[in-house]
Amino acid sequence: MIDRRGVVAGLLLLAARGGWAQSAPARGAAGLVAPLGSGPGYHSPDSPIPPLQEREGVLSWKRLAAVQTRAERQRLRPIFPADVKALDQQIVKVQGFMMPLDASERQYHFLLSAVPTTCSFCIPAGPEGLVEVRAKTPVRYSVDPVVVQGRLSVLDNDPYGLFYRLTDAQPAR
């Protein structure tokens, strides 16, 4: 049995140390280049998978990525805009690319990303481009985008460095 908390913790520790391999460098307000692992992720124009299209009724990744961060000790502390904080504990739909945390065709716990992964060992985005999903109903693994609906938690002090979590999720259209 895989220790899912350990997998999530390891992935997020990698992010905190700037190890997200696919993210494009982000520029902060002072013009400084943030380390890899910041930002909503970068969709390579060479990818055979088309980028996500905005859909009505589905939470936008641009909205989730509007979070700012402040370095505190050895972690990034999110500073959410009011419209994102207002999403806390609301039922929302999110579409994205699955990053399974278990070796199974049907997933109960996975990460959803704004951009597809191109490497099994690389995380495609920083914490603002990821949503941890805990499914009520299993979601069939797919390399194509999936849409899930559930209760969104906006996390400002998650021990694993996550910014968003969707619980009681189930596949949606």
Side-chain angles (χ1 to χ4, degrees):
M1 175 98 168
I2 295 173
D3 177 8
R4 292 183 182 119
R5 284 188 167 258
V7 171
V8 172
L11 291 173
L12 293 169
L13 179 61
L14 179 65
R17 294 186 175 160
W20 304 111
Q22 249 180 293
S23 300
R27 293 200 178 272
L32 300 174
V33 175
L36 291 178
S38 299
Y42 173 73
H43 192 105
S44 171
D46 297 328
S47 175
I49 302 170
L52 293 174
Q53 299 298 311
E54 298 264 338
R55 293 177 47 186
E56 188 163 332
V58 176
L59 185 56
S60 163
W61 283 101
K62 287 179 186 173
R63 189 171 178 192
L64 293 176
V67 63
Q68 299 291 313
T69 56
R70 178 178 67 233
E72 284 185 2
R73 297 189 188 143
Q74 294 197 350
R75 66 184 305 164
L76 291 177
R77 181 79 175 212
I79 303 165
F80 299 102
D83 68 324
V84 173
K85 278 191 121 155
L87 294 171
D88 190 42
Q89 299 307 307
Q90 299 298 311
I91 303 295
V92 299
K93 287 183 184 178
V94 181
Q95 81 171 327
F97 298 95
M98 291 180 81
M99 294 179 55
L101 297 174
D102 195 5
S104 174
E105 182 179 329
R106 303 179 78 65
Q107 297 290 309
Y108 283 94
H109 185 212
F110 56 93
L111 297 176
L112 203 59
S113 173
V115 295
T117 58
T118 58
C119 167
S120 300
F121 305 101
C122 303
I123 305 299
E128 61 272 50
L130 298 170
V131 173
E132 179 187 19
V133 178
R134 295 209 172 255
K136 176 180 182 179
T137 306
V139 180
R140 182 180 297 277
Y141 174 74
S142 174
V143 295
D144 295 321
V146 297
V147 179
V148 290
Q149 178 174 313
R151 185 169 307 277
L152 183 71
S153 294
V154 177
L155 310 168
D156 63 359
N157 195 20
D158 184 71
Y160 299 111
L162 291 167
F163 291 176
Y164 304 107
R165 181 174 296 123
L166 199 66
T167 55
D168 292 329
Q170 49 195 359
R173 293 187 186 262

